[in-house]
Structures are given as structure tokens and as C-alpha cells.
Amino acid sequence: VADVNAKYQWICSSGGQVPHGAIQGGRTSRGEPLYIGRKTHARVMIPGKIHPSQGGLFIAYGGKEHAYQSDYEILVIMH
């Protein structure tokens, strides 16, 4: 459940790093946490999943999955 009074922010990340306050968006079939990320791809901001054990962000675009290990953003809650 989202906190209506919370402040959220996109911050730069790379290498699958997960800062304090990162928003979890799901889990893999093995139970690993996935986090909410985004990246500009083909001049469009695309949401994706950050998979820490795979070292980066994965987005779906044009019927393919694209992997990025740097220069993407992760959604965090500011305390």
C-alpha cells in the first residue's frame, strides 16, 4: 500500500545497485527481489525491472528485452 504522504524520487544507479528506500516491484520465479527502474531507449522513457543479481536494468522494447548495466534510474522513497 502506497503512503500518500511519501515523497518518491528517481535516482541514478548502475550495476544492479539498490539504494536504501528502493521500491520493490516484484520477485523472480526464484524469489529474488526486483526493483522499479527506467531508462531512455530510442528517445522514449521506458520502465523496467532492476535485477540486482544480474547487475542491471532490463526493459522491453520492440518485442525484445534490452539490458543496461549503467546510466539508468531507480525509484526510491525519500524519508
Side-chain angles (χ1 to χ4, degrees), residues 1-8 23-24 36 75-79:
V1 175
D3 180 348
V4 296
N5 297 313
K7 302 289 184 206
Y8 298 91
I23 304 298
Q24 186 175 331
I36 300 171
L75 185 60
V76 297
I77 188 167
M78 306 305 291
H79 295 283

Side-chain angles (χ1 to χ4, degrees), residues 39-50:
K39 171 80 175 167
T40 300
H41 179 87
R43 295 184 285 204
V44 178
M45 184 64 75
I46 307 291
K49 61 184 179 188
I50 296 172

Side-chain angles (χ1 to χ4, degrees), residues 1-67:
V1 175
D3 180 348
V4 296
N5 297 313
K7 302 289 184 206
Y8 298 91
Q9 183 175 359
W10 292 101
I11 62 171
C12 294
S13 190
S14 63
Q17 295 178 345
V18 177
H20 179 73
I23 304 298
Q24 186 175 331
R27 293 192 173 275
T28 67
S29 60
R30 294 183 178 186
E32 296 175 75
L34 298 170
Y35 297 88
I36 300 171
R38 70 180 184 179
K39 171 80 175 167
T40 300
H41 179 87
R43 295 184 285 204
V44 178
M45 184 64 75
I46 307 291
K49 61 184 179 188
I50 296 172
H51 193 177
S53 69
Q54 297 294 316
L57 171 77
F58 298 84
I59 63 168
Y61 186 86
K64 297 179 182 177
E65 185 171 63
H66 301 269

